[in-house]
Amino acid sequence: MANKNQDNTYKRGFNDGLAIGLGYLSVSFSFGIMAVSSGLTWWQAVIISISNLTSAGQVAGVGIMAASGTLIEMFLSQLVINIRYSLMAISLSQKVDSSMNLPSRAILGYGITDEIFGVAMAADHDVGRRYFAGLMTLPILGWTLGTLLGAVLGSILPENLTVALAIGIYGMFVAIVLPVAKKNKRILTVVLMAIMFALIIRYVPFFSFLSGGFAAIVSAVLASAIGAFILPVDDIDDKEAV
Amino acid sequence: MNNSFWIYLLVMVLTTYLIRALPFSLFRKKIKSKRLQAFFDYIPYAVLTSMTVPAIFYSGINLWAGILGFAVAMFLSYKNKSLLFVAIGTVIAAFVGGFIPF
């Protein structure tokens, strides 16, 4: 910790956020396309991205808007999909230094994403407010810019192309889940249960009262709860954040 | 959707923001329960999975677009390709699949 002050500069955080920002460009590009192909305007897509800064939650949110779902459904979907951020926030709160006062936490908490959290936790120094503010700068920019590009392009391109492009975000979801499920049997089990519940809810007429958004939440909560009950975490080392 | 957009957005933003900022501002203790810890570990993967299956099959121009897109996404992900690579492969497969007459 000899160079603690040097580590906790805005500039250092800014640089550490570059790779995340670039990665976010492509994911949010897909989101932008998906949002306009669901009927939103380009500026609505951009506002959603800059204010939410989360991938799966935004995809679910747009789905609920497009289907004119209820506000309860919107609340529950965001709660379930994003509840992992609470855990990250708690972990991160143990690693911040004294510069991270209450107002800073209230403002900078907005920037806790899977990747920003991962980089902050991997830093070999305590996390100061300047560093963390720097760290989230390029990811926020990348996320917003990618959405703008995707949304604008999605409004111009022919329909058969934008519909195909919109599927890209599901491809990314597969690319996040499958490599982890391949290595981790407990996550594989949960994933298979989630697929099973999702298919049952979708195709068994009894569950037709559940909309697409709710179906995904119910399946995910059921699979994770059963998974947690029969397969609790026994080792912290095979714990992986998305 | 224009009027309701802002109400939807408000609920979405408030929920997502409070989930992050409240624990970050208030909590100091770690979660010790192994079951709760496991639940938090599993939820992101379960959510992404149940949002993708079966929705991906119905989000193409036709069923083939979704099926081909999903198959290619599975294959490339299994080969540990990057997010961007998998996304591009999925899009191309879905685009090609869209031309298969039903």
Side-chain angles (χ1 to χ4, degrees), chain B residues 65-79:
Chain B
I67 291 171
L68 274 184
F70 183 65
V72 168
M74 291 282 285
F75 176 76
L76 295 178
S77 304
Y78 191 81
K79 296 277 175 192

Side-chain angles (χ1 to χ4, degrees), chain A residues 26 44 52-53 68-69 82 86-87 90 94 105-106 109-110 112 175 182 186 203 216 228-229 231 233 239, chain B residues 2 8 13 16-17 19-20 24 28-29 31 34-35 38 41-42 49-51 58-59 77-78 80 84 86:
Chain A
S26 54
Q44 286 173 327
N52 285 276
L53 203 67
S68 298
N82 294 329
S86 293
L87 191 72
I90 293 169
Q94 338 254 320
R105 285 171 188 246
Y110 147 77
I112 298 173
K182 210 170 76 175
R186 293 182 293 118
Y203 296 110
F229 192 75
L231 308 157
V233 173
K239 214 189 95 191
Chain B
N2 267 326
Y8 278 128
V13 171
T16 306
Y17 170 73
I19 280 171
R20 288 164 161 155
F24 195 42
R28 292 291 184 278
K29 282 183 190 160
I31 289 178
K34 286 179 175 179
R35 294 223 155 88
D41 279 355
Y42 299 153
T49 301
S50 58
M51 279 179 65
Y58 302 104
S59 43
S77 304
Y78 191 81
N80 291 322
L84 186 60
V86 174

Side-chain angles (χ1 to χ4, degrees), chain A residues 26-27 41 47 78 98 101 133 164 199 204 210:
Chain A
S26 54
V27 183
T41 64
I47 288 176
Q78 301 308 306
S98 53
N101 53 21
L199 292 178
V204 175
L210 285 170

Side-chain angles (χ1 to χ4, degrees), chain A residues 1-241:
Chain A
M1 296 282 167
N3 54 352
K4 195 180 168 198
N5 290 330
Q6 219 180 355
D7 285 336
N8 268 318
T9 59
Y10 179 85
K11 190 163 179 276
R12 179 75 187 269
F14 187 87
N15 292 337
D16 286 356
L18 176 65
I20 306 176
L22 287 174
Y24 279 7
L25 268 177
S26 54
V27 183
S28 61
F29 180 86
S30 290
F31 168 75
I33 295 250
M34 184 258 168
V36 291
S37 76
S38 303
L40 267 70
T41 64
W42 65 268
W43 58 265
Q44 286 173 327
V46 169
I47 288 176
I48 290 174
S49 275
I50 201 167
S51 58
N52 285 276
L53 203 67
T54 175
S55 58
Q58 290 183 196
V59 173
V62 167
I64 290 165
M65 290 182 190
S68 298
T70 60
L71 293 176
I72 299 280
E73 194 176 351
M74 180 64 91
F75 165 72
L76 283 177
S77 74
Q78 301 308 306
L79 182 70
V80 168
I81 294 171
N82 294 329
I83 193 74
R84 67 185 188 283
Y85 293 138
S86 293
L87 191 72
M88 292 177 194
I90 293 169
S91 301
L92 190 62
S93 71
Q94 338 254 320
K95 212 201 170 201
V96 294
D97 67 18
S98 53
S99 72
M100 194 70 94
N101 53 21
L102 190 62
S104 306
R105 285 171 188 246
I107 295 166
L108 300 179
Y110 147 77
I112 298 173
T113 69
D114 303 293
E115 292 78 13
I116 293 171
F117 167 77
V119 170
M121 292 304 283
D124 59 0
H125 52 83
D126 285 348
V127 173
R129 66 175 180 193
R130 287 174 202 284
Y131 175 83
F132 197 70
L135 185 60
M136 67 171 69
T137 305
L138 288 177
I140 293 170
L141 209 65
W143 190 248
T144 308
L145 194 65
T147 305
L148 178 67
L149 292 174
V152 168
L153 210 61
S155 321
I156 299 169
L157 296 172
E159 198 205 358
N160 63 342
L161 195 54
T162 56
V163 171
L165 281 166
I167 290 189
I169 199 151
Y170 291 113
M172 288 184 181
F173 288 173
V174 174
I176 292 169
V177 173
L178 203 134
V180 180
K182 210 170 76 175
K183 279 189 300 188
N184 186 323
K185 279 196 180 130
R186 293 182 293 118
I187 289 186
L188 178 64
T189 310
V190 170
V191 163
L192 291 175
M193 281 196 288
I195 292 176
M196 187 184 74
F197 289 131
L199 292 178
I200 290 173
I201 293 175
R202 177 70 175 73
Y203 296 110
V204 175
F206 176 78
F207 296 106
S208 60
F209 65 94
L210 285 170
S211 69
F214 259 133
I217 301 165
V218 172
S219 308
V221 169
L222 267 181
S224 303
I226 295 172
F229 192 75
I230 59 175
L231 308 157
V233 173
D234 38 31
D235 280 312
I236 299 167
D237 59 356
D238 66 347
K239 214 189 95 191
E240 281 180 69

